[in-house]
Amino acid sequence: MDKYRLVEEKFIGAQGFIDDIKDTFDAKPKSDTGELDAQCIVRITQQAKPRSCITTAMNMLASGNKHVELKAMGKAINKAVTIAEILKRKMPLHQITALSSCEIVNVYEPLEEGLDTVVNQHYVSCLTITLSTDATGIDVHNIGYQPPLSLSEMQPGDFNAHPGKVVTAT
């Protein structure tokens, strides 16, 4: 592809996965009623550190939001699943998992005369995991629904595993 340059890249069906949102989380009230921002999205990429994604999601939930969405595409999907499982073991969370795919279309223009324009299209898997502290606003009959883990399945020392007791790291 030395003789071509990328002129256009389209993401079809990737709304919410690839867009130009500066801040995905804003804890400031939207209105005078004190209602928090409903857009609590953690976009997970291949280069993202799991610890920072977990911390971001935990801070969103601790700031009063009831829902957090983990979104990942392609090779970052396994990282998103791992992060969701870690979060579920830190506090009782309802989970809804949704799979989709998006089409990526790249258009290359030749740098030399006599060559044709090349259009490359491929599909990428997309995953959205919605985690919620309560079942309100969650469809428990959704095919991707998973109830919270029982307290016995949570790891000792995790957040909310022992209400009222402060657990310190040793």
Side-chain angles (χ1 to χ4, degrees):
M1 298 292 290
D2 302 349
K3 299 177 182 182
Y4 290 90
R5 69 179 177 103
L6 181 67
V7 289
E8 185 177 6
E9 186 172 39
K10 290 188 228 174
F11 298 93
I12 302 167
Q15 291 83 12
F17 290 95
I18 297 177
D19 50 10
D20 297 325
I21 296 177
K22 286 192 294 188
D23 299 321
T24 58
F25 173 67
D26 183 11
K28 297 175 186 168
K30 288 168 65 174
S31 62
D32 296 333
T33 62
E35 177 184 322
L36 290 176
D37 189 7
Q39 281 293 96
C40 293
I41 299 172
V42 179
R43 286 181 181 79
I44 299 167
T45 62
Q46 225 177 335
Q47 294 83 21
K49 302 251 186 280
R51 182 180 294 266
S52 65
C53 295
I54 292 167
T55 303
T56 302
M58 292 288 288
N59 289 339
M60 288 178 183
L61 292 169
S63 68
N65 292 294
K66 296 188 185 292
H67 303 285
V68 169
E69 280 189 359
L70 305 177
K71 292 191 174 211
M73 293 176 65
K75 294 180 180 180
I77 287 177
N78 60 343
K79 189 178 288 190
V81 171
T82 302
I83 290 168
E85 290 300 319
I86 290 170
L87 288 168
K88 284 177 60 175
R89 280 163 176 71
K90 290 195 173 289
M91 64 176 66
L93 294 170
H94 298 267
Q95 175 180 336
I96 292 184
T97 306
L99 285 172
S100 61
S101 66
C102 72
E103 180 182 11
I104 300 176
V105 179
N106 297 324
V107 179
Y108 296 94
E109 187 176 85
L111 296 174
E112 298 177 359
E113 287 191 34
L115 297 174
D116 293 332
T117 300
V118 175
V119 177
N120 179 10
Q121 67 180 22
H122 60 278
Y123 292 88
V124 178
S125 299
C126 303
L127 177 73
T128 302
I129 300 174
T130 304
L131 299 170
S132 177
T133 54
D134 61 1
T136 58
I138 295 285
D139 181 14
V140 296
H141 301 295
N142 186 313
I143 195 162
Y145 174 76
Q146 293 179 21
L149 298 173
S150 66
L151 290 178
S152 64
E153 292 178 296
M154 290 190 190
Q155 303 296 323
D158 281 349
F159 186 74
N160 281 346
H162 304 287
K165 181 179 177 185
V166 177
V167 179
T168 59
T170 55

